[in-house]
Amino acid sequence: MDTILVINAGSSSVKFQVYSVEGEGTLRRQIKGQMDGIGSRPRLRASGATGDPLADRAYPIEAVPDVPAAMAVAGAWLRDELRVTPIAVGHRVVHGGPDYSRPVLIDHGIVSRLERFVALAPLHQPYNLAPIRSLLANFPALPQVACFDTAFHRTHDAVADHYAIPQQLHAEGVRRYGFHGLSYEYIARTLPSVAPDIARRRVIVAHLGSGASMCALKEGRSVESTMGFTALDGLPMGTRPGQIDPGVVLYLISEKGMPAAKVQDFLYRDCGLKGLSGVSNDMRELEASADPHARFAIDYFVYRIGLSAGMLAAALQGLDAFVFTAGIGENSASIRARVAEQLGWLGVALDATENARHSRLISRPGSPIPVYVVPTDEELMIAQHTLSLLIDGHSHNTRSERVS
Ligand code: AMP
């Protein structure tokens, strides 16, 4: 059986999925797993196509000190115990810089170019590249594909791609890149079958997970995003603040004496829902909490989604549909209801029963703006791109089945 391995490597975990390639290029998810606690309490967990447990093992810290070691352990498990020998590997790579507007087949030259973007995504890019490098060294003939979170947004007009700073800095790469592109691309490709009436029209997609952003889609293409140069901008997130006056950063440096590394840590790890609530970065815990700060953090989250919707509707010059996706968007009926309330001025009218059921269409029949819940699947998007590149050297749509 031909299989494709998808890898999403972070600083403390490596997530992986294995897809079988079936007739006519159909992809079917067979294995889903992750090695987490890298360098602290390593643990390999994996399940099969129907959620059946395949592995749950702890490892000594010396056995899995870093991402390449995690890759090696998980790879050996797949190869030796499950007899998985993929025909190609697709990687999530957070930053493709200004150059890449589509996935790319990896070679040593590409890795060197992608290393230049480490400074633009210091907490993600090095970990994304680590397994690529170790697979290149150990399996040089194995095709690898890099799929970028920034690529889908490279259709933005220049005004959406710029900051008001000297052009020289823009040329150096200081731009509004936008992120979560694989998620938005998946939604854009799914909409024609889910909601053909609105798929080519003006749609706002809200990717609300532990990272959160929103994207304006016109004719299935991204025209604007709430995220910019880094994945810090836009909506408040689990631990990131979202939009913040750069003057606050200057204040932290000049008045609080915080060095750059500390500011970076603060902005990526201590702000957002966690910082505001002082309770948790996890929406489920905030929703279950009676702490007034937890409630305020939720109020702030919902308020900023409403503000951003106004901005994106202006970019689209109107709005024809709104889509929720990712952990919070797919699972929290109460957040969806509160966001819909914020969008009431646009005419959004939610159907409480359908919303509570997590139905695909959750607005009332008369709502001038239909509201949908569409589960995202970034890994499947990566597997599709990888297969396309393998088949004919460029990326296009393939048929797929979502099995989770
Ligand atoms: P993601 O990053 O897409 O996996 O989303 C993670 C976020 O989704 C976390 O904040 C979770 O608390 C949140 N989430 C997942 N399930 C639920 C749920 N049933 N209700 C509220 N939030 C949820």
Side-chain angles (χ1 to χ4, degrees), residues 109-349:
I110 299 273
V111 174
S112 305
R113 292 179 77 175
L114 296 179
E115 266 160 8
R116 294 205 314 251
F117 308 131
V118 163
L120 306 187
L123 299 190
H124 295 97
Q125 194 85 344
Y127 307 106
N128 299 158
L129 296 182
I132 293 178
R133 256 191 253 101
S134 67
L135 285 173
L136 261 181
N138 295 316
F139 304 93
L142 179 65
Q144 297 191 68
V145 173
C147 300
F148 305 107
D149 265 319
T150 49
F152 186 64
H153 300 294
R154 298 283 57 76
T155 46
H156 289 183
D157 283 348
V159 284
D161 206 42
H162 271 70
Y163 289 110
I165 53 177
Q167 294 285 355
Q168 175 55 33
L169 278 169
H170 179 83
E172 272 177 32
V174 184
R175 307 174 179 210
R176 297 190 65 242
Y177 290 100
F179 295 86
H180 291 136
L182 292 160
S183 173
Y184 294 125
E185 187 179 11
Y186 177 82
I187 302 289
R189 287 188 180 194
T190 303
L191 280 181
S193 52
V194 169
D197 294 351
I198 54 97
R200 309 291 302 165
R201 305 188 69 188
R202 298 163 300 182
V203 181
I204 292 176
V205 184
H207 176 110
L208 309 178
S210 40
S213 73
M214 291 163 72
C215 176
L217 292 178
K218 195 181 212 168
E219 296 180 2
R221 298 192 331 161
S222 170
V223 299
E224 183 57 273
S225 156
T226 55
M227 276 182 170
F229 180 55
T230 67
L232 283 171
D233 204 0
L235 299 180
M237 295 165 240
T239 58
R240 292 169 257 168
Q243 190 190 355
I244 192 164
D245 183 336
V248 174
V249 176
L250 296 177
Y251 175 84
L252 295 175
I253 296 166
S254 59
E255 297 301 315
K256 296 288 202 184
M258 282 168 79
K262 216 163 172 203
V263 173
Q264 175 173 291
D265 227 41
F266 174 75
L267 293 173
Y268 277 97
R269 298 191 208 280
D270 295 334
C271 295
L273 300 174
K274 178 183 166 195
L276 260 184
S277 69
V279 170
S280 172
N281 62 335
D282 191 295
M283 185 55 84
R284 274 169 297 201
E285 288 179 26
L286 295 179
E287 288 196 314
S289 171
D291 190 310
H293 293 117
R295 260 182 261 145
F296 181 76
I298 296 176
D299 290 348
Y300 184 82
F301 185 65
V302 170
Y303 172 67
R304 299 302 303 197
I305 294 168
L307 282 189
S308 300
M311 178 185 84
L312 297 182
L316 289 167
Q317 291 290 290
L319 186 60
D320 299 307
F322 193 96
V323 176
F324 286 101
T325 194
I328 300 169
E330 292 168 28
N331 297 301
S332 175
S334 67
I335 294 289
R336 289 196 302 257
R338 293 201 49 196
V339 170
E341 218 174 284
Q342 284 275 321
L343 304 179
W345 66 277
L346 282 165
V348 166

